[in-house]
Amino acid sequence: MAERFHSFGLATPPAEKAIRANDAIALLRNGQATPSSLLAYGNGRSYGDSCQNSAGAIVDMRGLNGIRAFNAETGVFEADAGVLLSDIIAHAAPYGFFPAVVPGTQFVTLGGAIANDVHGKNHHRRGTFGCHVEGFTLLRSDGKTYRCSATDNPRLFRATIGGMGLTGLILSASIRLMRVHSLDIVERATPFGGLGDYFDLAEAADLANEYAVAWIDQLAGGRKSGRGLLFTGNHAEHGSHTASRGGGNLSVPFQPPFNVLNRSFLTAFNSVYRWRKGRSTTPRQTGYQGFFFPLDGVRDWNRLYGPKGLLQHQSVVPEDAARIVVPELLAAARRAGQGSFLTVLKRFGTVRSPGLLSFPRPGYTLTLDFPSRGAATLALLAELDRITVTAGGAVNPYKDARMGAATFASSFPDWPRLEALRDPAFMSDFWARTAASIDLRRRGAEAAE
């Protein structure tokens, strides 16, 4: 059976046309005709349609996965764009290095981490992944390979970081890792009874710790509304330097015909999770996999959402509005009767990304996962968009599968600058739905004048 190139949310159709990275590279370098458009596809961990290109072909980058060099003195790591983050961790760990920024899964490619300018639990200290990119090589449809850095082709450098693959094919990249005492994490869980308590704790937690993130019991209402757990962590002074490239032993072998993560399940899960994780506030030393990548322990866990998949909503709102807006977002989901399997709240710091369209900005970011239930879920997500944009916030494009053009333009007013640098041979379903539709309407209006 032919491989299917889905997004991780499974709520959008898989790519129908795919070509291997080396074949696409040969076409571009030789100036030969390509499909109507191209788009790099890493390891399919984007939740929405920013990794899909239904009008053309996706380029499977996973075969481009060689490690080129690693300097054990400086921590500079160079590799092909298709190398997985798990391989980078495993290669560098024995030398006392770890990526400065990791997202919620280790199974993303190096190119994908750059293209989405991913963030982690330590944005308040390290910023985004793009802050640690030394440079990369970019192949465009003019047949030329560009070396991009803060000083070489700086406009392309900025546009490609967070540019969702629209500026060309990233072939290889150099990143600077950070030195750590060990891979292990000393973790502390602090229960809080409501969002007000969390906001009172958040800034101090960031100042005192490398990592900080909160889990919210999204279904809890009334006096229990907004309760959750604040997790903080730092690399242990004495611990393991051995990494594992693989995922967990558990897996979801097939997609059930219905959503397993229903309200009854989520209510029970939240109660057990809160009790298990919050029963002790004493710091404990734990492995890096469980702290950074807990869901990687169950392969294909996204199948549990059933045949319609899941839709994720991640927003960021300014710090001075968060105490009002975050409760409003959670209340909107409860009113709609929609339960989020994993609800995460984090504080973004002021470290500025070099990326032109980077999502993180100072404030608080809330992530919600919903099973796709058709019109009802879309209506809820539109309401969450409205609340976010009204508050001066933004919605994350690489977690999105249905955002409207107006929401995107409000979230990223600099989008025309990326459009000006977009490779004309590259397109995604997300960009066609948002920025390209705005541009087409604008051109039509100008032509009519």
Side-chain angles (χ1 to χ4, degrees):
M1 189 170 103
E3 185 172 5
R4 296 168 67 83
F5 294 88
H6 287 277
S7 73
F8 197 70
L10 301 176
T12 56
E16 296 183 0
K17 299 176 184 177
I19 59 178
R20 295 180 301 179
N22 286 332
D23 293 337
I25 291 169
L27 288 173
L28 292 171
R29 282 181 172 163
N30 295 331
Q32 297 177 10
T34 63
S36 54
S37 59
L38 296 173
L39 181 71
Y41 180 97
N43 202 35
R45 259 41 184 193
S46 294
Y47 280 78
D49 57 358
S50 64
C51 65
Q52 299 290 357
N53 181 24
S54 58
I58 57 105
V59 180
D60 183 2
M61 300 296 291
R62 290 171 296 180
L64 209 65
N65 59 1
I67 293 175
R68 299 185 170 210
F70 175 58
N71 187 320
E73 296 296 323
T74 64
V76 174
F77 190 100
E78 183 179 2
D80 293 340
V83 164
L84 294 178
L85 193 60
S86 58
D87 295 321
I88 296 175
I89 294 170
H91 190 92
Y95 303 94
F97 283 93
F98 191 77
V101 174
V102 295
T105 174
Q106 63 188 323
F107 300 127
V108 297
T109 62
L110 175 57
I114 295 171
N116 293 298
D117 198 15
V118 297
H119 59 272
K121 297 176 175 66
N122 59 347
H123 184 271
H124 57 283
R125 289 199 176 180
R126 312 288 173 178
T128 65
F129 195 89
C131 293
H132 308 278
V133 175
E134 297 282 293
F136 50 81
T137 55
L138 184 72
L139 177 61
R140 287 170 62 88
S141 61
D142 60 8
K144 297 179 182 178
T145 300
Y146 296 82
R147 176 65 185 174
C148 301
S149 70
T151 55
D152 297 325
N153 297 301
R155 293 177 69 231
L156 276 177
F157 179 73
R158 294 193 64 223
T160 302
I161 295 174
M164 296 179 283
L166 296 168
T167 59
L169 287 183
I170 300 174
L171 301 182
S172 65
S174 296
I175 59 172
R176 187 177 295 273
L177 308 182
M178 71 175 179
R179 193 177 291 279
V180 295
H181 295 296
S182 74
L183 293 182
D184 290 349
I185 299 295
V186 177
E187 176 191 68
R188 181 194 291 268
T190 303
F192 52 86
L195 289 173
D197 296 333
Y198 163 74
F199 289 121
D200 290 341
L201 295 169
E203 185 173 0
D206 283 357
L207 289 172
N209 298 280
E210 176 72 31
Y211 304 106
V213 64
W215 167 83
I216 306 294
D217 184 354
Q218 180 259 334
L219 292 178
R223 290 184 299 173
K224 297 178 180 179
S225 177
R227 69 180 183 180
L229 300 167
L230 172 61
F231 296 101
T232 54
N234 298 281
H235 286 274
E237 290 192 11
H238 304 285
S240 174
H241 286 84
T242 303
S244 172
R245 289 181 172 87
N249 295 321
L250 300 175
S251 67
V252 181
F254 63 90
Q255 189 173 68
F258 55 88
N259 168 35
V260 174
L261 306 178
N262 54 41
R263 190 176 185 88
S264 297
F265 172 88
L266 293 178
T267 300
F269 172 84
N270 285 352
S271 296
V272 172
Y273 184 85
R274 187 172 183 273
W275 172 81
R276 182 172 176 270
K277 289 288 190 176
R279 58 183 171 176
S280 174
T281 59
T282 303
R284 68 184 188 96
Q285 189 161 320
T286 186
Y288 77 97
Q289 301 259 17
F291 183 80
F292 293 111
F293 317 120
L295 292 177
D296 284 350
V298 181
R299 295 191 301 277
D300 299 318
W301 62 267
N302 52 335
R303 291 175 175 174
L304 293 174
Y305 283 86
K308 293 183 179 180
L310 71 103
L311 293 168
Q312 188 172 93
H313 190 277
Q314 183 174 22
S315 58
V316 57
V317 296
E319 192 158 352
D320 58 2
R323 287 178 180 261
I324 294 174
V325 178
V326 173
E328 190 177 352
L329 291 167
L330 293 172
R334 285 196 301 273
R335 286 195 303 271
Q338 302 262 0
S340 169
F341 171 51
L342 192 63
T343 304
V344 174
L345 182 59
K346 291 183 290 193
R347 182 174 177 267
F348 283 151
T350 58
V351 182
R352 189 176 180 88
S353 169
L356 188 60
L357 257 63
S358 185
F359 166 71
R361 59 207 70 185
Y364 287 86
T365 177
L366 178 70
T367 303
L368 299 152
D369 292 340
F370 300 108
S372 178
R373 296 176 179 169
T377 306
L378 294 176
L380 167 61
L381 296 176
E383 174 64 6
L384 299 180
D385 288 351
R386 185 196 65 77
I387 294 170
T388 300
V389 170
T390 301
V395 180
N396 193 344
Y398 64 83
K399 299 288 186 75
D400 176 73
R402 43 81 252 164
M403 182 194 308
T407 296
F408 174 67
S410 296
S411 299
F412 297 90
D414 280 344
W415 70 264
R417 296 171 64 190
L418 176 58
E419 173 62 20
L421 291 167
R422 178 176 63 85
D423 190 303
F426 284 72
M427 180 54 71
S428 70
D429 288 352
F430 174 85
W431 200 254
R433 174 164 50 83
T434 56
S437 68
I438 298 171
D439 201 39
L440 287 172
R441 290 202 299 267
R442 176 184 295 171
R443 290 177 187 177
E446 290 174 350
E449 291 177 357

